Amino acid sequence: MIMFKSILREISWNRSCFIVTIIARSLRNNGGEIALTIPRNVCIRNFSSQSHKIVKARKYVVVNHFVNEAKPTDLKLVEEELSPLQNGEYLAEAEYFSVDPYMRPYVRRYPLGITMLGTQIAKIVESKNPAFPIGKKIVGNMGWRTHTIVNPKFKDRVFQEHPYLLPDIGDLPSSLFGGNISSAVIYQMKPFGRVAVCGSISSYNTDRSSLPKCTILQPILSKHELRMEGFLVTRWMDRWNEGIMQNLQWLREGKLHYRETVTKGFENMFEAFIGMLRGENIGKAIVQA
């Protein structure tokens, strides 16, 4: 008696995995046992529904919370194999990473084992979401990793939306560094001047029990009737896109000028990070993957 049977087999080729459907013919041999034979030209490959490309991502994992100045051993570069995309998801490959001071204090809020915090510009290289087609570029808080599977239905754990870049500070000093340099600058301000305080980089690598001593500011604040206000980017989360579009307009009109320090190579993320905290960069610190 001759019977036909459909058999599913998984095969790998050129870093891709396929589910193959094979039509096999069974018959009884002289010993009464069933043997399978596979006729030529009857192998059907199901490429469209069950094939996927194997992608391996590299990422930096936090293994120690930073104490004083961050050390290379506080992070570990690991590799992980990503699962196939599900409907609604897309795969983004990082092109540029932003290196920012907030990473230093914020990472203490999360348990060890997380991917190091950070924002990146990435290109969509695979997609099962028509709203995010292949070739488009995105900005996201995916952390220090080369590839990310993104599901737009889920918000990231650090920023519920993208951080807002405040465009309306004009010629006001923006105090990021703190310490004696900040105090010296404030003492040179004109009457009724204003200061926006959005960080204190000089103290990030210092133990909180031994913060640096600096010149007191009350005399100059009262004498020149200065106004100093701190702010967190999270206050303007609902205006993120407005800030992006306004900065883009000013760039195109030639009204906004900037400088960057670009470090090449994903393997040099830590060097760019610690260099930024030491003040070695001029302008925005960026890593090109």
Side-chain angles (χ1 to χ4, degrees):
M1 180 176 62
I2 299 177
M3 297 181 296
F4 290 91
K5 185 176 182 180
S6 175
I7 304 172
L8 293 179
R9 290 289 185 268
E10 182 176 304
I11 63 172
S12 296
W13 176 75
N14 193 25
R15 298 187 64 192
S16 296
C17 181
F18 303 100
I19 303 298
V20 179
T21 303
I22 301 174
I23 307 299
R25 183 179 62 189
S26 63
L27 52 87
R28 294 186 180 276
N29 58 17
N30 294 333
E33 298 177 350
I34 296 179
L36 294 178
T37 62
I38 302 176
R40 295 182 179 180
N41 302 322
V42 292
C43 179
I44 304 174
R45 295 182 179 179
N46 191 351
F47 291 100
S48 60
S49 61
Q50 301 187 65
S51 63
H52 69 271
K53 183 178 180 179
I54 299 174
V55 177
K56 292 186 177 180
R58 292 186 295 160
K59 64 179 182 179
Y60 285 88
V61 174
V62 179
V63 295
N64 295 304
H65 284 136
F66 303 139
V67 177
N68 299 325
E69 185 173 81
K71 300 179 289 295
T73 52
D74 293 332
L75 303 176
K76 184 179 181 181
L77 181 59
V78 300
E79 190 176 81
E80 69 173 350
E81 185 174 305
L82 302 183
S83 58
L85 292 182
Q86 303 299 315
N87 289 333
E89 296 180 336
Y90 60 89
L91 176 64
E93 182 177 11
E95 294 189 341
Y96 292 93
F97 296 88
S98 177
V99 183
D100 301 289
Y102 80 86
M103 300 172 179
R104 172 64 176 79
Y106 272 41
V107 75
R108 289 195 299 261
R109 303 180 180 184
Y110 301 95
L112 299 178
I114 67 164
T115 301
M116 180 60 185
L117 312 179
T119 304
Q120 59 175 260
I121 295 176
K123 183 178 181 179
I124 298 176
V125 294
E126 186 179 349
S127 179
K128 286 193 174 182
N129 189 323
F132 296 89
I134 294 175
K136 291 292 185 179
K137 295 185 179 182
I138 63 166
V139 177
N141 300 296
M142 284 92 78
W144 293 12
R145 55 182 300 127
T146 59
H147 297 78
T148 306
I149 293 178
V150 181
N151 188 328
K153 294 182 179 180
F154 298 102
K155 295 180 179 179
D156 66 85
R157 62 190 301 183
V158 183
F159 292 106
Q160 293 301 304
E161 298 292 344
H162 300 302
Y164 168 63
L165 303 177
L166 183 65
D168 191 22
I169 60 175
D171 58 353
L172 304 180
S174 179
S175 179
L176 275 167
F177 36 84
N180 286 321
I181 296 178
S182 178
S183 298
V185 170
I186 291 173
Y187 265 85
Q188 303 303 313
M189 293 184 64
K190 296 179 180 180
F192 307 106
R194 294 171 292 167
V195 179
V197 182
C198 56
S200 182
I201 300 175
S202 65
S203 66
Y204 287 171
N205 288 331
T206 305
D207 188 272
R208 293 187 176 183
S209 63
S210 58
L211 292 176
K213 302 297 186 296
C214 57
T215 306
I216 62 172
L217 299 176
Q218 287 87 341
I220 191 63
L221 290 176
S222 59
K223 180 182 179 180
H224 282 186
E225 299 182 78
L226 304 179
R227 180 179 177 181
M228 178 182 291
E229 180 181 358
F231 70 89
L232 295 177
V233 71
T234 50
R235 196 198 310 180
W236 292 277
M237 282 300 195
D238 60 334
R239 302 183 65 185
W240 162 255
N241 287 331
E242 178 188 346
I244 289 292
M245 298 310 296
Q246 182 63 77
N247 279 284
L248 180 60
Q249 177 184 334
W250 285 337
L251 283 170
R252 289 173 173 171
E253 293 173 351
K255 296 179 179 179
L256 184 62
H257 302 275
Y258 62 92
R259 297 182 66 179
E260 296 174 334
T261 296
V262 181
T263 301
K264 294 186 177 181
F266 182 70
E267 65 280 1
N268 296 318
M269 285 291 301
F270 182 82
E271 287 73 14
F273 173 64
I274 200 65
M276 175 271 303
L277 291 174
R278 291 172 178 170
E280 296 174 359
N281 59 299
I282 298 177
K284 186 72 185 73
I286 295 173
V287 174
Q288 183 178 359

